[in-house]
């Protein structure tokens, strides 16, 4: 079974910095914070599991 | 399970595709869910200091170690009591395992990486770049 594609292009639209909190189905941004602490504070009372991801404008030029 | 590569924004190419998987880390009563880069070139798991703080890990109190990568050296702190949980949507079950993680003091677009000493010991990983996907087949344990 194939997992649904997680489209960060769509999710990160309008967010160039900070952290976003994403819904458990990976389709929506529920909260945004200028840093992880703020995003977690906003998501504290969320009724569903949230996934956090750093917002940025470019994810290339990474050499692991 | 088959995981499509995730499209991410990029200055130069507009879109890049990366093998990212959802993962939840647990440190005692603290949990943090994010997306990890699956990196066959990484010797082991890496998380950033901000994720360590979200998991209530006092990383500043752990002795610092110097690491090396292809790009040079970096500072990290070893933490050996973390657990990772990955949901397998094919089996509809969680895979949970202990892992040793390096808490890294560095700037990177990716704040979490899973590598050879952890995920690659627990599962067969097949990268299919031509299909923009990877396949993860977890080993069976009795």
């Amino acid at each position: 079974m194939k997992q649904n594609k997680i489209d960060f292009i769509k999710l990160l639209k309008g967010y160039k910095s900070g952290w976003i909190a994403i819904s458990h189905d990976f389709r929506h941004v529920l909260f945004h914070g200028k840093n992880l602490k703020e995003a977690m504070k906003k998501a504290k009372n969320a009724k569903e599991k949230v996934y956090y991801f750093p917002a940025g404008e470019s994810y290339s030029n990474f050499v692991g | 399970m088959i995981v499509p590569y995730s499209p991410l924004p990029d200055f130069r190419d507009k879109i890049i595709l990366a093998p990212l998987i959802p993962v939840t880390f647990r440190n005692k009563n603290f949990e943090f869910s994010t997306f990890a880069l699956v990196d066959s070139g990484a010797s082991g798991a890496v998380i950033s200091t901000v994720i360590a703080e979200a998991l209530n890990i006092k990383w500043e109190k752990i002795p610092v170690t110097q690491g090396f990568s292809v790009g040079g050296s970096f500072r990290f702190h070893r933490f050996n009591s973390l657990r990772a949980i990955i949901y397998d949507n094919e089996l509809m079950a969680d895979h949970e395992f202990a892992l040793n993680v390096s808490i890294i003091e560095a700037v990177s677009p990716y704040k979490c990486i899973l590598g050879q000493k952890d995920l690659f010991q627990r599962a067969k990983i097949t990268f299919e770049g031509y299909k923009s996907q990877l396949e993860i087949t977890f080993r069976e344990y009795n």
Side-chain angles (χ1 to χ4, degrees):
Chain A
M1 187 178 171
K2 200 168 185 170
Q3 181 185 282
N4 290 332
K5 186 183 282 184
I6 304 165
D7 188 349
F8 288 100
I9 300 276
K10 185 181 163 198
L11 290 167
L12 290 167
K13 207 166 189 174
Y15 303 105
K16 293 182 176 178
S17 64
W19 285 71
I20 55 172
I22 299 168
S23 60
H24 73 283
D25 61 1
F26 316 129
R27 290 175 185 273
H28 309 285
V29 172
L30 301 174
F31 305 98
H32 171 260
K34 63 177 185 255
N35 53 44
L36 180 55
K37 269 186 188 165
E38 187 180 289
M40 289 180 74
K41 194 175 176 185
K42 287 180 180 176
K44 197 175 179 181
N45 295 320
K47 288 177 181 164
E48 61 177 278
K49 184 173 187 173
V50 296
Y51 289 78
Y52 296 94
F53 194 71
E57 293 179 88
S58 184
Y59 291 82
S60 66
N61 298 339
F62 173 77
V63 179
Chain B
M1 63 176 173
I2 293 171
V3 182
Y5 287 2
S6 296
L8 289 153
D10 180 50
F11 282 141
R12 190 182 52 203
D13 299 323
K14 292 187 180 170
I15 292 175
I16 61 161
L17 295 168
L20 293 168
I21 60 166
V23 60
T24 297
F25 292 110
R26 181 182 294 149
N27 174 38
K28 294 174 186 161
N29 294 328
F30 291 83
E31 280 195 357
F32 183 81
S33 298
T34 185
F35 302 89
L37 183 72
V38 179
D39 186 353
S40 61
S43 60
V46 169
I47 60 171
S48 69
T49 52
V50 286
I51 291 180
E53 285 163 9
L55 287 161
N56 198 38
I57 298 168
K58 312 296 182 198
W59 61 269
E60 306 99 320
K61 294 182 179 174
I62 304 170
V64 70
T65 306
Q66 187 156 7
F68 298 96
S69 72
V70 70
S73 62
F74 58 90
R75 287 161 55 90
F76 72 97
H77 308 257
R78 286 199 176 94
F79 186 74
N80 300 329
S81 305
L82 202 61
R83 297 192 73 79
I85 302 145
I86 296 170
Y87 181 72
D88 186 331
N89 68 333
E90 193 169 306
L91 299 175
M92 291 193 288
D94 283 334
H95 292 276
E96 182 171 343
F97 52 95
L99 75 169
N100 300 332
V101 71
S102 298
I103 300 166
I104 191 165
E105 295 180 42
V107 177
S108 163
Y110 302 104
K111 307 296 183 195
C112 172
I113 293 171
L114 294 175
Q116 290 289 345
K117 286 181 189 164
D118 35 84
L119 182 60
F120 285 77
Q121 299 299 316
R122 306 294 301 196
K124 177 183 173 186
I125 315 274
T126 307
F127 290 96
E128 296 177 288
Y130 50 91
K131 290 183 182 176
S132 300
Q133 66 183 33
L134 71 156
E135 186 170 5
I136 303 174
T137 308
F138 283 91
R139 296 169 62 192
E140 289 182 18
Y141 293 87
N142 291 324

